[in-house]
Amino acid sequence: MGKSKRKGRPKPRTDPTIGRPAKSPSDPETAAIRDQKILPVLSQLSSPNSKSRSTAASAIANLIEDQECRKLLLKDQVVRLIMEQTLTDSEIEVVVAGWGVLRNLALEEDWTFGIHLYRQDILTPLEAAIKNVVSILESTNPSFSNMPKPRQILTWELTGSLIGLLSSLSETNQELVDAISNLPSVPSFLFGLLGFEGIPEQVKDDAILCIHALTEENDIIAKKILEGPGWLTGLSKLKNEQSLQGIAACGIIHNISQELRCFDQGPDTKHLLDSATLPALKLSLEGRAQHYLQANGNLSGDDPQSSRIELSLRLGLEILASIATAAQEGIEGGLEGAIGIDAMSEGSGDENDMDQITGLEADDVANHVDEDVEMELVTKDESGNVGASGSITSGSHEAVIVYLVEVFAPLVLPLAAPQTNQTTETLLVYSRALSALNNIAWAASQVLSSSIFSPVKETWTSSAQRIWKQVISPILSSNTADISLADSITSLAWALSRGVGGKVDLAEGEHRSFMALYRAAGGLATSAAAAQTNGHGKSTEEGSADTTSLGVKCIGVLGTLALCPSRIDVNRETGVFLVTLLAALPQTPTDDAVEALNQLFDIYADKAFDYDEPVFWGNGLLSHLEAAIPNVRKMAKAVDKRKQPDMRGRADEALMNLGRFVKYKKDEKAGRC
């Protein structure tokens, strides 16, 4: 559910073709392309005529868009030629075109290409080029604005290529990101561009998006920004601009806030709470969402403004999803106070919209109601009382989740509703809206178990019904073959159902869709060998769904739906389905079996439930559970505790609880409980 970590990505295999002469392709058509398109432009990189060299590099940059041409160029060592010849050329036009080639290659290739560039020591010429650009922009004799227009255009083109390459390199692995972060010129270069008068809007957009990419899980850059000359203050002001740059600033501040616990907090960290960022993010997303929905997602790809709206939406939704995850993880990990609201509310004098979450003086609480969230819901301490100082004494993460439920869930919902005739662009917005709703739903299910938030529970229950009807049901009825979409929908369905105790308005047979999806995704067809390695996700208690297998998610949805009273038929079908998974061991994957057991324990925990007698006892589920004990024991022992300690721990716990549960139900039936 959360953002991926660079550190977890595997090291790429070294390309055996790099550094060796390329063999002529055996396919006649491919050989013809190489002879007619690739070799001529590569040879022109060494032309004595600078115009020919520049033209050749520009042609290569365009050829990269074609996958077959790109692969041929790489095999013919275009990277080595560019780095050894083009980047060191005496003519600025040639150098600019060469950096454009590397930028385009990094954009088109996967993240392993960035690792290859790093191993070729790309950071040395990159830093030199950055310093050169800075010297040109800071020139006083003549000033940059008085330079010939062609030279200005070339400088901005070079700047854009360097930023684009930096952004791509920032999406590789932690070693490379740390190396970039330790270059003294990088942060000053990027922040300097944000304040440079006359900078093209696109270059400024690229610069702040690059900063956003660099600050993700990066304490090195975060600390440099905190210590930089007014950089944090500039970001705090910029975040309130309703623009792509404002949204990116919100994301940067959020990224920094996640790294603050790695080092001492300075005096300028008061405005870094997500609770202070969310109101600004809301204002930016509202206008763009409205524009997008009015156009039915059909924004012109040729219109730069439309492209920026789409990009703004995608970025804002990603930031929102990350904030929701951070709030949930903060509650789960007991991180309250790592960067707390109490420190924020000491009179920082920041924008008035901070009051929406961070609180007011006690005398003002009764009179001040945010347009979306009543302060009473977010300023109560654990006993339900409003804090005397007006600060959020129950913890900042809960307050953020309340705001997400009240404000952002209704805002995101229309964007997450499936549309007909989806385009590539609208699918990107749609998938990010689903992710944001999913993370909000999981966070809500985590915090709303507290009685403090009873009024918010009513709001979330109503929202959950709308989300189910407008987002979940249409996909279930469509029988989608898109496994990725099915996975996202199932995760969201699980979070919604879990948060409201299964009390969602099910259409006829909707629960069976998750049973069918389980089987379609592999389910019981998984071999015994694969079952021991399939699905290393988190359990229901851990409340996250990003690494959880689709099978576990389906089981989780079914289990929570079965908790709803007065649905004996749904409960019966679910109970039989779950014990069938246990009977199928060892074919059932370990995580699936563990989740099935946990759901069965929750569903039939109390004889007072209206389905306990007609289903648990009426369908003889106890005998099936008792019969499953030997197979569950074998399943647990089959998990290598050295290689998979978490899974082994969950399996052992499930086995222990199964024995206790069987005994408990027997005693319950005998009247001893």
Side-chain angles (χ1 to χ4, degrees):
M1 184 176 67
K3 54 191 177 185
S4 62
K5 296 183 181 292
R6 302 182 186 104
K7 297 176 184 177
R9 295 173 181 167
K11 293 182 179 180
R13 181 178 66 87
T14 302
D15 187 343
T17 67
I18 293 174
R20 300 180 183 178
K23 296 181 179 179
S24 181
S26 57
D27 177 63
E29 291 186 9
T30 303
I33 292 174
R34 180 173 183 259
D35 292 339
Q36 296 170 16
K37 292 185 176 182
I38 306 303
L39 295 182
V41 292
L42 290 178
S43 65
Q44 285 298 303
L45 289 177
S46 304
S47 171
N49 184 285
S50 62
K51 181 67 173 177
S52 297
R53 299 196 300 273
S54 175
T55 301
S58 298
I60 291 171
N62 292 328
L63 285 173
I64 287 168
E65 296 180 8
D66 182 276
Q67 184 177 3
E68 189 170 13
C69 289
R70 185 170 69 253
K71 298 304 179 186
L72 289 171
L73 284 165
L74 289 171
K75 286 183 178 180
D76 279 294
Q77 303 178 47
V78 67
V79 173
R80 181 181 62 80
L81 292 171
I82 292 293
M83 290 186 65
E84 292 180 359
Q85 298 180 23
T86 310
L87 298 188
T88 58
D89 201 281
S90 59
E91 297 294 332
I92 183 64
E93 292 87 352
V94 180
V95 174
V96 171
W99 283 109
V101 169
L102 295 182
R103 174 202 58 197
N104 288 3
L105 282 170
L107 285 172
E108 295 292 343
E109 287 291 293
D110 64 25
W111 67 275
T112 60
F113 178 76
I115 302 298
H116 170 59
L117 286 180
Y118 178 48
R119 291 174 176 171
Q120 304 306 306
D121 194 27
I122 188 62
L123 295 189
T124 298
L126 181 62
E127 185 174 31
I130 287 173
K131 290 179 178 178
N132 183 44
V133 168
V134 171
S135 67
I136 294 173
L137 294 176
E138 294 179 349
S139 173
T140 57
N141 187 24
S143 66
F144 181 75
S145 60
N146 289 327
M147 290 181 184
K149 286 296 181 184
R151 183 58 186 268
Q152 293 185 36
I153 293 172
L154 278 173
T155 301
W156 290 128
E157 185 179 340
L158 175 59
T159 302
S161 293
L162 297 177
I163 295 171
L165 186 56
L166 274 174
S167 294
S168 294
L169 295 177
S170 300
E171 296 297 330
T172 52
N173 67 1
Q174 200 63 46
E175 179 186 356
L176 177 46
V177 172
D178 288 347
I180 294 172
S181 303
N182 283 311
L183 294 176
S185 60
V186 168
S188 58
F189 167 61
L190 294 172
F191 276 97
L193 290 172
L194 296 183
F196 191 85
E197 187 176 349
I199 181 175
E201 201 68 17
Q202 182 61 57
V203 177
K204 192 173 183 179
D205 286 349
D206 292 344
I208 197 164
L209 290 173
C210 185
I211 297 172
H212 180 261
L214 271 175
T215 52
E216 184 180 355
E217 298 175 348
N218 190 337
D219 62 315
I220 299 173
I221 287 291
K223 188 171 184 178
K224 287 187 176 183
I225 292 175
L226 289 174
E227 296 173 348
W231 294 345
L232 183 59
T233 300
L235 288 172
S236 296
K237 293 179 180 178
L238 185 58
K239 83 175 191 295
N240 294 307
E241 292 188 9
Q242 296 178 38
S243 64
L244 172 60
Q245 293 164 25
I247 291 174
C250 289
I252 295 167
I253 292 174
H254 165 67
N255 289 343
I256 294 172
S257 74
Q258 300 310 295
E259 301 302 321
L260 277 182
R261 53 185 175 269
C262 298
F263 45 85
D264 292 337
Q265 300 175 30
D268 293 328
T269 63
K270 293 181 178 180
H271 311 316
L272 293 181
L273 284 173
D274 286 334
S275 53
T277 299
L278 282 173
L281 185 61
K282 170 206 166 189
L283 291 175
S284 290
L285 281 181
E286 269 183 335
R288 278 143 194 79
Q290 184 177 10
H291 188 120
Y292 180 84
L293 293 169
Q294 287 176 347
N296 293 319
N298 297 320
L299 300 178
S300 173
D302 299 328
D303 179 11
Q305 186 61 26
S306 294
S307 297
R308 294 183 79 208
I309 289 174
E310 208 166 80
L311 178 57
S312 298
L313 268 180
R314 298 205 309 265
L315 178 62
L317 290 168
E318 288 175 7
I319 295 167
L320 183 61
S322 182
I323 288 174
T325 298
Q328 181 191 351
E329 290 177 347
I331 293 171
E332 291 175 346
L335 297 179
E336 305 298 341
I339 172 170
I341 279 188
D342 288 341
M344 284 282 301
S345 58
E346 294 174 354
S348 62
D350 197 22
E351 296 80 10
N352 291 333
D353 58 11
M354 282 178 54
D355 290 341
Q356 294 180 24
I357 300 182
T358 56
L360 304 170
E361 294 300 319
D363 292 341
D364 295 331
V365 170
N367 299 321
H368 183 93
V369 179
D370 176 72
E371 62 179 316
D372 297 294
V373 183
E374 291 187 4
M375 287 303 302
E376 294 172 322
L377 304 182
V378 295
T379 58
K380 292 181 179 178
D381 61 20
E382 294 180 357
S383 64
N385 299 318
V386 178
S389 67
S391 62
I392 305 177
T393 55
S394 61
S396 63
H397 299 300
E398 286 93 340
V400 167
I401 293 173
V402 169
Y403 195 81
L404 293 174
V405 166
E406 293 278 359
V407 177
F408 277 99
L411 193 160
V412 176
L413 175 54
L415 299 172
Q419 302 175 2
T420 57
N421 303 319
Q422 293 265 37
T423 65
T424 302
E425 290 74 18
T426 57
L427 281 172
L428 289 173
V429 173
Y430 172 59
S431 64
R432 282 158 178 78
L434 276 181
S435 178
L437 264 188
N438 175 70
N439 291 14
I440 291 172
W442 278 107
S445 71
Q446 180 74 18
V447 74
L448 297 185
S449 59
S450 170
S451 61
I452 296 174
F453 296 97
S454 296
V456 185
K457 284 182 182 179
E458 297 177 8
T459 301
W460 179 243
T461 300
S462 177
S463 294
Q465 299 292 353
R466 290 196 301 272
I467 294 170
W468 190 281
K469 181 178 180 180
Q470 297 177 33
V471 178
I472 306 297
S473 293
I475 299 300
L476 294 180
S477 63
S478 70
N479 295 316
T480 180
D482 185 337
I483 292 297
S484 177
L485 174 59
D487 186 86
S488 298
I489 289 294
T490 305
S491 179
L492 175 57
W494 187 7
L496 293 172
S497 182
R498 181 176 184 262
V500 298
K503 298 176 183 178
V504 294
D505 295 331
L506 282 180
E508 180 65 30
E510 276 190 338
H511 63 292
R512 298 189 195 107
S513 296
F514 295 104
M515 298 178 186
L517 180 57
Y518 179 88
R519 299 185 183 97
L524 293 177
T526 307
S527 67
Q532 300 306 322
T533 58
N534 181 40
H536 300 275
K538 298 180 180 179
S539 65
T540 307
E541 288 83 2
E542 290 172 297
S544 184
D546 60 330
T547 57
T548 306
S549 70
L550 177 55
V552 169
K553 293 175 186 176
C554 290
I555 294 167
V557 176
L558 288 165
T560 51
L561 290 176
L563 288 170
C564 183
S566 304
R567 279 195 193 142
I568 293 178
D569 289 342
V570 171
N571 185 282
R572 177 177 289 109
E573 291 183 50
T574 299
V576 171
F577 175 80
L578 295 179
V579 296
T580 300
L581 297 182
L582 300 178
L585 284 168
Q587 280 69 39
T588 301
T590 301
D591 263 0
D592 295 15
V594 169
E595 191 61 47
L597 284 167
N598 288 336
Q599 294 298 337
L600 284 165
F601 300 155
D602 287 344
I603 298 168
Y604 302 108
D606 194 330
K607 65 180 180 180
F609 295 155
D610 63 352
Y611 42 72
D612 190 76
E613 183 64 36
V615 177
F616 187 83
W617 298 108
N619 285 81
L621 299 190
L622 179 63
S623 61
H624 290 286
L625 290 175
E626 203 165 11
I629 291 177
N631 284 338
V632 173
R633 183 178 294 111
K634 291 178 182 178
M635 173 197 77
K637 289 184 177 180
V639 180
D640 191 327
K641 65 174 64 177
R642 292 169 299 179
K643 295 180 179 179
Q644 298 172 289
D646 290 342
M647 181 181 287
R648 177 59 184 265
R650 294 198 300 272
D652 286 341
E653 183 181 17
L655 173 62
M656 178 181 65
N657 289 339
L658 175 58
R660 292 176 175 176
F661 185 77
V662 168
K663 181 180 183 302
Y664 164 76
K665 294 302 286 187
K666 287 182 176 179
D667 290 345
E668 182 184 69
K669 189 67 172 177
R672 293 194 293 269
C673 288

